[in-house]
Amino acid sequence: MNARPLIDMDRVSKVYGNGTVALQEMSLAAQQGEFITLVGASGCGKSTVLRLAAGLIEPSTGRVQWSEDDWRKKLAFVFQEAALMPWASLLENVRLPLKLAGVPQRKSRNLVQETLHRVGLNGFEKSYPRQLSGGMKMRASLARALVTQPEILLMDEPFGALDEMTRSKLNRDLLELWQQQQWTVLFVTHNLYEAVYLSKRVVVMAANPGRVLTEIEIDAPYPRTEEFRTSRLYNEYCREVFACLQETASPVLT
Ligand SMILES: Nc1ncnc2c1ncn2[C@@H]1O[C@H](COP(=O)(O)OP(=O)(O)OP(=O)(O)O)[C@@H](O)[C@H]1O
Ligand SMILES: [Mg+2]
């Protein structure tokens, strides 16, 4: 226990160019293999945390440290919008990161096929994004992240635009893959039920300025079945997260 965290944010503040204090003294350490979810009101800095963890932006004060030198190669980002290239087939869309890295097509072909299979999209290689449902587009976007064989996944409201059934199915599939691949996941959602179902740890953030209000350990074993989703324990955790979120709500709105 207490191994060096994979990503360690230590009292990080982030002030954007226009003076917005997006984060103030935020600390968060992600251990190898954790599934951490950030929840909190719009504008509390969740995406900013992910961008800092990905090294896309720099903190204004404080430090972000990664335990491994080649962390950039091990990290993949999944955004809310699938952002697929509409003119390219699914195969080409998923192959993109490998193409950018200069991997020749004959070498990447198997890996792309295998990844599509892993997210349940085998047989759709030749389809174009417009021919796919929202859930399938999200799977494609996930495949594009996974094809680089990452160890750390940063996911910013990846399933926010999906209906409840599709979301739960993708939640189950994501957890199964996470268990198989032993990724470290930093996940953002507005949906507290999703947060509790997926995570080992739910980090509740407060806004103005963005900071950690509290962390809730979800002490339930994996694999998390449908039984867990209907259990009293699950309900209790959901209620606890909800109560914390309410605490963060602006008094004007309550
Ligand atoms: N590039 C930017 N320049 C200036 N301000 C920004 C920038 N990006 C974010 N902000 C501001 O920083 C704060 C935190 O933004 P962030 O996008 O991290 O919040 P969030 O929790 O992800 O919100 P949401 O749930 O709506 O996605 C907000 O006040 C936002 O307006
Ligand atoms: Mg955001």
Side-chain angles (χ1 to χ4, degrees):
M1 208 48 221
N2 281 340
R4 201 167 153 214
L6 212 56
I7 303 174
D8 193 3
M9 298 179 59
D10 186 23
R11 282 164 292 161
V12 165
S13 298
K14 178 68 193 175
V15 185
Y16 283 108
N18 61 0
T20 305
V21 183
L23 294 176
Q24 192 169 63
E25 302 252 316
M26 161 111 188
S27 295
L28 180 70
Q31 298 289 345
Q32 152 71 36
E34 270 202 288
F35 199 122
I36 301 174
T37 299
L38 307 174
V39 295
S42 183
C44 72
K46 304 179 294 296
S47 298
T48 302
V49 171
L50 290 201
R51 288 198 286 269
L52 285 160
L56 296 172
I57 55 172
E58 297 271 320
S60 307
T61 60
R63 272 202 312 192
V64 185
Q65 286 182 297
W66 295 265
S67 66
E68 302 184 21
D69 293 336
D70 55 347
W71 59 273
R72 270 182 205 275
K73 280 195 220 149
K74 299 185 171 174
L75 198 138
F77 215 121
V78 183
F79 300 94
Q80 176 167 10
E81 289 89 31
L84 302 169
M85 304 178 290
W87 61 86
S89 68
L90 201 53
L91 192 86
E92 283 305 314
N93 265 290
V94 173
R95 195 170 79 84
L96 180 69
L98 300 177
K99 194 172 164 184
L100 293 175
V103 182
Q105 190 163 3
R106 68 194 145 72
K107 280 201 176 159
S108 59
R109 205 175 176 85
N110 279 348
L111 188 54
V112 173
Q113 291 285 7
E114 202 182 291
T115 311
L116 282 169
H117 187 80
R118 220 197 279 167
V119 301
L121 280 179
N122 40 318
F124 291 93
E125 293 80 357
K126 293 190 178 141
S127 304
Y128 286 84
R130 65 173 180 278
Q131 299 169 311
L132 305 178
S133 69
M136 289 162 87
K137 281 187 202 152
M138 223 38 247
R139 287 178 189 275
S141 173
L142 186 60
R144 194 178 46 194
L146 299 187
V147 82
T148 61
Q149 300 179 291
E151 290 173 24
I152 309 165
L153 271 183
L154 305 177
M155 308 181 81
D156 199 350
E157 293 189 54
F159 309 141
L162 304 177
D163 66 83
E164 204 46 47
M165 291 304 286
T166 312
R167 183 203 284 263
S168 352
K169 174 83 177 88
L170 280 164
N171 281 171
R172 281 198 300 273
D173 292 354
L174 174 63
L175 272 194
E176 205 172 297
L177 286 169
W178 168 73
Q179 278 206 287
Q180 272 171 25
Q181 307 290 322
Q182 312 196 323
W183 296 317
T184 305
V185 182
L186 264 186
F187 192 94
V188 168
T189 181
H190 278 285
N191 186 313
L192 67 97
Y193 303 101
E194 176 175 57
V196 171
Y197 176 69
L198 293 173
S199 321
K200 278 194 174 172
R201 186 148 60 103
V202 177
V203 175
V204 182
M205 292 179 64
N208 300 316
R211 62 200 187 276
V212 174
L213 183 78
T214 187
E215 293 191 6
I216 298 166
E217 195 78 43
I218 310 297
D219 193 7
Y222 295 91
R224 291 187 178 164
T225 56
E226 282 313 295
E227 215 170 300
F228 173 61
R229 259 195 218 268
T230 49
S231 68
R232 177 192 282 220
L233 183 66
Y234 174 76
N235 268 303
E236 278 166 8
Y237 278 128
C238 290
R239 215 176 303 151
E240 191 179 342
V241 175
F242 183 69
C244 293
L245 281 170
Q246 276 209 315
E247 228 178 278
T248 72
S250 139
V252 182
L253 300 174
T254 51

